[in-house]
Amino acid sequence: MNTALNLVNVTLEYPDGGGTLKALDDVNLKVGSGEFLTLVGPSGSGKSSLLAVAATLVRPTAGLVLVDGIDAGGLSENGRTTLRRDKIGIIFQQPNLLPSLTALEQLVIGEHLRGKPAREAARRAAALLDLVGLAPAAGKRPHQLSGGQRQRVNIARALMGDPAVLLVDEPTAALDQERSEAIVRLLRRVTDEFSVGTVMVTHDTGFVPLTDMVAGMLDGRLSAAQPVSPALASGQAPQP
Ligand code: ADP
Ligand code: MG
């Protein structure tokens, strides 16, 4: 299996008064293409820091970040921006959609940065909105969409660049149980269909059986990722 994301001995320190705070402390993590990892841990344990470093938004103090085999540390700022655009899909809790744009436009707007012809971008956007179950809402603006629908637009948008890695930070925090489960099932599906390596931070351990691996953070340290047992998965998560 191709390794989509590889963090090797990653440490991230922030200045803290006179000393330093280790937001990430010698973290090692491998996520394969088509693999779905759940990341759990208490508030302040470093989960969002891990995603920010994996997203190449924050440079680690030490260690390697490899995205689809590319060493982000060896790249310039521009190189990192390109890597992010071409290889990484980012989905945060709040979709951050532009209020004046339709669902379709939210997906298309970034595509001129990738140098894609407008018609091709529009076609891909329409196909992705269909995939996430939003074809009928393609012309709607954020205020006309439910929270779950907005998160679906967010997911579709993250897939526009055909990323190798999906980084997802508490995607269901603002949703009720039923909508939350639908979102995690959708992430499962896109992980499989697009062979993307997905890391999802969540407080909801009830969704672990829908994923392949689970790892825990505590005080910046990451436990070794454990496979989710198939028995657990079939017992707790009936297939749709
Ligand atoms: P989590 O997402 O698990 O709640 P974070 O990754 O946001 O944890 O934070 C981990 C630790 O790093 C916390 O102690 C937090 O206060 C600290 N931290 C996060 N971002 C910064 C920053 N930009 N500057 C200083 N400290 C930070
Ligand atoms: Mg966080």
Side-chain angles (χ1 to χ4, degrees):
M1 183 171 39
N2 189 43
T3 301
L5 175 68
N6 194 4
L7 305 182
V8 185
N9 302 127
V10 167
T11 293
L12 175 66
E13 294 177 346
Y14 288 115
D16 180 33
T20 56
L21 182 155
K22 272 193 184 168
L24 298 175
D25 186 358
D26 199 20
V27 164
N28 288 282
L29 178 64
K30 261 190 196 180
V31 183
S33 301
E35 203 167 48
F36 193 166
L37 176 118
T38 305
L39 183 59
V40 297
S43 181
S45 59
K47 306 181 299 296
S48 294
S49 297
L50 187 152
L51 292 188
V53 165
T56 77
L57 292 166
V58 172
R59 278 184 192 272
T61 311
L64 283 179
V65 177
L66 299 155
V67 179
D68 203 20
I70 299 167
D71 176 5
L75 300 175
S76 65
E77 267 322 303
N78 282 343
R80 290 151 68 85
T81 302
T82 304
L83 178 72
R84 212 176 297 133
R85 204 170 65 207
D86 294 344
K87 301 284 187 191
I88 302 172
I90 300 176
I91 299 165
F92 290 152
Q93 179 181 334
Q94 296 299 334
N96 284 323
L97 302 176
L98 296 161
S100 63
L101 299 187
T102 66
L104 190 84
E105 289 164 348
Q106 310 279 347
L107 273 60
V108 169
I109 189 144
E111 287 307 280
H112 70 277
L113 296 172
R114 292 192 179 98
K116 291 267 172 62
R119 268 177 57 192
E120 195 183 306
R123 209 174 318 139
R124 181 164 174 84
L128 285 170
L129 285 178
D130 191 29
L131 179 101
V132 302
L134 279 185
K140 293 194 171 169
R141 296 176 211 287
H143 73 274
Q144 299 170 302
L145 300 171
S146 71
Q149 288 177 320
R150 285 197 287 267
Q151 197 55 290
R152 286 168 186 275
V153 174
N154 199 17
I155 292 168
R157 183 176 57 181
L159 294 167
M160 278 297 283
D162 195 16
V165 175
L166 264 189
L167 302 170
V168 195
D169 202 350
E170 304 198 28
T172 64
L175 303 178
D176 63 34
Q177 184 64 22
E178 195 181 324
R179 288 195 175 85
S180 295
E181 179 168 337
I183 289 295
V184 180
R185 285 190 183 281
L186 177 61
L187 290 167
R188 170 80 265 176
R189 192 173 147 213
V190 303
T191 300
D192 294 340
E193 284 189 22
F194 294 84
S195 254
V196 63
T198 300
V199 179
M200 176 178 71
V201 168
T202 184
H203 285 294
D204 204 332
T205 52
F207 298 132
V208 167
L210 291 172
T211 68
D212 302 312
M213 311 277 285
V214 59
M217 289 224 67
L218 190 63
D219 294 336
R221 292 183 154 270
L222 184 71
S223 69
Q226 299 292 322
V228 175
S229 84
L232 183 70
S234 60
Q236 295 196 351
Q239 295 305 303

mmCIF file of all heavy atoms in Angstrom, residues 14-15 21 23 41-50 169-170, ligand 1:
data_model
loop_
_atom_site.group_PDB
_atom_site.id
_atom_site.type_symbol
_atom_site.label_atom_id
_atom_site.label_comp_id
_atom_site.label_asym_id
_atom_site.label_seq_id
_atom_site.Cartn_x
_atom_site.Cartn_y
_atom_site.Cartn_z
ATOM 1 N N TYR A 14 6.229 25.309 21.090
ATOM 2 C CA TYR A 14 5.833 26.716 21.130
ATOM 3 C C TYR A 14 6.516 27.364 22.324
ATOM 4 O O TYR A 14 6.647 26.725 23.372
ATOM 5 C CB TYR A 14 4.319 26.839 21.305
ATOM 6 C CG TYR A 14 3.508 26.472 20.084
ATOM 7 C CD1 TYR A 14 2.657 25.377 20.106
ATOM 8 C CD2 TYR A 14 3.578 27.233 18.925
ATOM 9 C CE1 TYR A 14 1.893 25.037 19.001
ATOM 10 C CE2 TYR A 14 2.818 26.896 17.816
ATOM 11 C CZ TYR A 14 1.979 25.799 17.857
ATOM 12 O OH TYR A 14 1.230 25.479 16.760
ATOM 13 N N PRO A 15 6.923 28.626 22.180
ATOM 14 C CA PRO A 15 7.446 29.337 23.354
ATOM 15 C C PRO A 15 6.342 29.437 24.410
ATOM 16 O O PRO A 15 5.180 29.661 24.067
ATOM 17 C CB PRO A 15 7.809 30.729 22.810
ATOM 18 C CG PRO A 15 7.596 30.699 21.352
ATOM 19 C CD PRO A 15 6.829 29.473 20.991
ATOM 20 N N LEU A 21 6.672 24.775 25.204
ATOM 21 C CA LEU A 21 5.592 23.802 25.335
ATOM 22 C C LEU A 21 5.685 22.863 24.144
ATOM 23 O O LEU A 21 5.748 23.320 22.994
ATOM 24 C CB LEU A 21 4.265 24.562 25.326
ATOM 25 C CG LEU A 21 2.957 23.801 25.496
ATOM 26 C CD1 LEU A 21 1.924 24.749 26.069
ATOM 27 C CD2 LEU A 21 2.456 23.207 24.185
ATOM 28 N N ALA A 23 3.874 20.881 21.821
ATOM 29 C CA ALA A 23 2.542 20.544 21.318
ATOM 30 C C ALA A 23 2.575 19.169 20.658
ATOM 31 O O ALA A 23 1.588 18.428 20.696
ATOM 32 C CB ALA A 23 2.070 21.597 20.329
ATOM 33 N N GLY A 41 -8.288 12.161 21.692
ATOM 34 C CA GLY A 41 -7.451 12.689 22.765
ATOM 35 C C GLY A 41 -8.114 13.898 23.388
ATOM 36 O O GLY A 41 -8.903 14.574 22.731
ATOM 37 N N PRO A 42 -7.754 14.195 24.635
ATOM 38 C CA PRO A 42 -8.379 15.321 25.325
ATOM 39 C C PRO A 42 -8.023 16.659 24.685
ATOM 40 O O PRO A 42 -7.055 16.761 23.923
ATOM 41 C CB PRO A 42 -7.834 15.236 26.752
ATOM 42 C CG PRO A 42 -6.638 14.358 26.683
ATOM 43 C CD PRO A 42 -6.804 13.473 25.488
ATOM 44 N N SER A 43 -8.800 17.667 25.002
ATOM 45 C CA SER A 43 -8.549 19.016 24.531
ATOM 46 C C SER A 43 -7.151 19.463 24.963
ATOM 47 O O SER A 43 -6.743 19.215 26.091
ATOM 48 C CB SER A 43 -9.624 19.929 25.112
ATOM 49 O OG SER A 43 -9.429 21.228 24.675
ATOM 50 N N GLY A 44 -6.413 20.066 24.031
ATOM 51 C CA GLY A 44 -5.076 20.550 24.350
ATOM 52 C C GLY A 44 -3.989 19.497 24.217
ATOM 53 O O GLY A 44 -2.816 19.774 24.474
ATOM 54 N N SER A 45 -4.339 18.293 23.755
ATOM 55 C CA SER A 45 -3.343 17.216 23.691
ATOM 56 C C SER A 45 -2.475 17.288 22.439
ATOM 57 O O SER A 45 -1.473 16.588 22.336
ATOM 58 C CB SER A 45 -4.027 15.846 23.787
ATOM 59 O OG SER A 45 -4.957 15.669 22.744
ATOM 60 N N GLY A 46 -2.883 18.120 21.448
ATOM 61 C CA GLY A 46 -2.042 18.297 20.270
ATOM 62 C C GLY A 46 -2.642 17.807 18.962
ATOM 63 O O GLY A 46 -1.964 17.799 17.934
ATOM 64 N N LYS A 47 -3.920 17.455 18.975
ATOM 65 C CA LYS A 47 -4.559 16.898 17.773
ATOM 66 C C LYS A 47 -4.552 17.900 16.608
ATOM 67 O O LYS A 47 -4.182 17.562 15.493
ATOM 68 C CB LYS A 47 -5.991 16.448 18.094
ATOM 69 C CG LYS A 47 -6.096 15.493 19.263
ATOM 70 C CD LYS A 47 -7.527 15.063 19.530
ATOM 71 C CE LYS A 47 -8.479 16.193 19.887
ATOM 72 N NZ LYS A 47 -8.141 16.882 21.158
ATOM 73 N N SER A 48 -5.002 19.116 16.896
ATOM 74 C CA SER A 48 -5.035 20.119 15.820
ATOM 75 C C SER A 48 -3.626 20.489 15.375
ATOM 76 O O SER A 48 -3.393 20.775 14.195
ATOM 77 C CB SER A 48 -5.789 21.372 16.270
ATOM 78 O OG SER A 48 -7.146 21.060 16.492
ATOM 79 N N SER A 49 -2.685 20.465 16.310
ATOM 80 C CA SER A 49 -1.286 20.732 15.948
ATOM 81 C C SER A 49 -0.788 19.671 14.977
ATOM 82 O O SER A 49 -0.090 19.977 14.007
ATOM 83 C CB SER A 49 -0.407 20.739 17.200
ATOM 84 O OG SER A 49 -0.786 21.785 18.062
ATOM 85 N N LEU A 50 -1.141 18.429 15.247
ATOM 86 C CA LEU A 50 -0.728 17.350 14.344
ATOM 87 C C LEU A 50 -1.307 17.583 12.937
ATOM 88 O O LEU A 50 -0.587 17.462 11.932
ATOM 89 C CB LEU A 50 -1.175 15.991 14.901
ATOM 90 C CG LEU A 50 -0.667 14.754 14.150
ATOM 91 C CD1 LEU A 50 -0.573 13.564 15.092
ATOM 92 C CD2 LEU A 50 -1.536 14.381 12.960
ATOM 93 N N ASP A 169 -10.742 17.854 10.957
ATOM 94 C CA ASP A 169 -10.720 18.216 12.375
ATOM 95 C C ASP A 169 -12.135 18.381 12.915
ATOM 96 O O ASP A 169 -12.825 19.344 12.579
ATOM 97 C CB ASP A 169 -9.921 19.513 12.578
ATOM 98 C CG ASP A 169 -9.404 19.652 14.013
ATOM 99 O OD1 ASP A 169 -9.816 18.847 14.881
ATOM 100 O OD2 ASP A 169 -8.600 20.559 14.265
ATOM 101 N N GLU A 170 -12.568 17.446 13.716
ATOM 102 C CA GLU A 170 -13.880 17.475 14.372
ATOM 103 C C GLU A 170 -14.999 17.878 13.414
ATOM 104 O O GLU A 170 -15.689 18.876 13.625
ATOM 105 C CB GLU A 170 -13.828 18.410 15.575
ATOM 106 C CG GLU A 170 -12.719 17.995 16.537
ATOM 107 C CD GLU A 170 -12.883 18.597 17.924
ATOM 108 O OE1 GLU A 170 -14.041 18.857 18.307
ATOM 109 O OE2 GLU A 170 -11.874 18.774 18.606
HETATM 110 P P1 ADP B 1 -6.083 19.896 20.603
HETATM 111 O O1 ADP B 1 -6.445 20.113 19.170
HETATM 112 O O2 ADP B 1 -5.845 18.459 20.949
HETATM 113 O O3 ADP B 1 -7.094 20.504 21.526
HETATM 114 P P2 ADP B 1 -3.893 21.753 20.104
HETATM 115 O O4 ADP B 1 -3.062 21.098 19.056
HETATM 116 O O5 ADP B 1 -4.810 22.823 19.652
HETATM 117 O O6 ADP B 1 -4.690 20.623 20.902
HETATM 118 O O7 ADP B 1 -2.936 22.345 21.216
HETATM 119 C C1 ADP B 1 -1.883 21.592 21.808
HETATM 120 C C2 ADP B 1 -1.116 22.475 22.757
HETATM 121 O O8 ADP B 1 -0.408 23.475 22.026
HETATM 122 C C3 ADP B 1 -2.013 23.224 23.738
HETATM 123 O O9 ADP B 1 -1.341 23.318 24.970
HETATM 124 C C4 ADP B 1 -2.154 24.582 23.086
HETATM 125 O O10 ADP B 1 -2.400 25.576 24.061
HETATM 126 C C5 ADP B 1 -0.797 24.765 22.432
HETATM 127 N N1 ADP B 1 -0.857 25.599 21.230
HETATM 128 C C6 ADP B 1 -1.574 25.332 20.103
HETATM 129 N N2 ADP B 1 -1.386 26.267 19.167
HETATM 130 C C7 ADP B 1 -0.531 27.175 19.715
HETATM 131 C C8 ADP B 1 0.082 28.406 19.243
HETATM 132 N N3 ADP B 1 -0.177 28.875 18.014
HETATM 133 N N4 ADP B 1 0.908 29.049 20.094
HETATM 134 C C9 ADP B 1 1.168 28.585 21.324
HETATM 135 N N5 ADP B 1 0.657 27.434 21.824
HETATM 136 C C10 ADP B 1 -0.188 26.739 21.043
#
